Amino acid sequence: AEAFQVDMPQMKTEVIMPGNEDLVMYFRPYRRKQIFDLRGDHAFLTSPPFAFFDFAVQQHRRDFPSGKLLVIAEPSMRSHPTVGRLCSELGAAVVTDMDQAGKQAWLADWVWLRSAKHLVLSPSTFVWWAAFLSEALRIYVPIFPGIAALPWCKLLPSGDPRYLFYDFWTNTTFTDGSVAKTHCQEYFHCKADECVVKKHRTAMASLYPELLELNQQDADFLNASAA
């Protein structure tokens, strides 16, 4: 872990680091304003739904009701409708302080994320490593009901009590990483037409009301189930 110990790049103005009671939510979609990503016979979800982040927030507020809710995302993703819901419905604030680092903004994000005591992840190797190497007390991880953009099931850590895994489709939580990984892989090994995302596409889309009707591919995919 020492090899990943880096300092915050030099800034013109002071960057406020996450407080000990703050919850940091990393948002990373793999398609802009799109629910489904279609690849061959399979349909992927492109990002965790609002419900996953809301679950993490409600869990966090039980122990830290005064903690701030902070969202970090690439500049092009800050206008994403789900980020808008996190701000308008949960009172979260989007963090932009690290933009002043210019080309080193990614490094500043890395240092900032690693300092957080409470983290919520989207599928991303960048935040996965930041969380894994951090001294966070709690790390919330989504379990996707199907194939994710990354080999996500393989990346679910085992034997680390900091992690809480949440299946947003069945509203099920796991504290044991091995059990969570097995559950995740059961989704992954489904047959195309029986996979949850494809079989229950209309119900799945209802988890993303802010993205409905924003993309023609999503509309065609949903209409195909009604045909």
Side-chain angles (χ1 to χ4, degrees):
E2 291 183 2
F4 294 91
Q5 294 288 352
V6 293
D7 295 327
M8 178 69 75
Q10 187 173 0
M11 301 288 190
K12 294 180 180 179
T13 60
E14 180 183 2
V15 172
I16 300 175
M17 307 302 282
N20 290 338
E21 296 188 357
D22 295 343
L23 181 67
V24 173
M25 296 177 279
Y26 182 82
F27 182 77
R28 166 71 189 275
Y30 279 83
R31 291 288 186 272
R32 287 181 59 85
K33 298 181 181 181
Q34 190 170 319
I35 300 172
F36 303 103
D37 183 11
L38 306 181
R39 303 183 190 180
D41 292 333
H42 291 280
F44 303 74
L45 294 175
T46 66
S47 64
F50 173 85
F52 164 66
F53 296 98
D54 184 47
F55 162 80
V57 167
Q58 301 314 318
Q59 292 287 315
H60 183 77
R61 280 178 168 162
R62 293 178 184 177
D63 297 321
F64 305 100
S66 300
K68 297 177 182 177
L69 305 178
L70 306 171
V71 178
I72 184 166
E74 296 178 5
S76 63
M77 298 302 174
R78 293 170 187 165
S79 61
H80 192 281
T82 302
V83 174
R85 288 189 68 189
L86 295 178
C87 295
S88 63
E89 297 182 31
L90 300 179
V94 177
V95 177
T96 61
D97 292 1
M98 285 74 78
D99 291 355
Q100 61 182 300
K103 293 182 179 180
Q104 287 192 307
W106 68 272
L107 182 59
D109 284 350
W110 168 268
V111 175
W112 195 87
L113 284 166
R114 284 197 61 190
S115 73
K117 296 300 182 184
H118 311 274
L119 276 166
V120 185
L121 310 189
S122 294
S124 159
T125 53
F126 178 78
V127 76
W128 187 95
W129 277 110
F132 185 75
L133 295 170
S134 73
E135 296 183 3
L137 302 175
R138 174 61 76 196
I139 303 169
Y140 298 91
V141 182
I143 295 177
F144 279 72
I147 301 173
L150 297 172
W152 195 236
C153 297
K154 295 180 180 180
L155 294 176
L156 303 186
S158 301
D160 191 331
R162 300 179 301 166
Y163 287 83
L164 183 63
F165 308 91
Y166 181 62
D167 178 347
F168 53 81
W169 174 245
T170 61
N171 190 29
T172 307
T173 59
F174 302 87
T175 55
D176 186 322
S178 297
V179 177
K181 184 176 294 187
T182 298
H183 180 76
C184 184
Q185 289 172 335
E186 288 174 354
Y187 281 130
F188 183 85
H189 293 300
C190 65
K191 294 181 180 180
D193 289 337
E194 293 300 313
C195 291
V196 173
V197 173
K198 197 169 184 178
K199 186 176 182 179
H200 301 285
R201 64 189 74 179
T202 301
M204 199 66 65
S206 69
L207 296 173
Y208 301 82
E210 69 275 18
L211 298 180
L212 286 172
E213 302 180 0
L214 294 182
N215 182 275
Q216 187 60 46
Q217 178 180 274
D218 285 346
D220 293 342
F221 180 61
L222 291 171
N223 290 336
S225 68

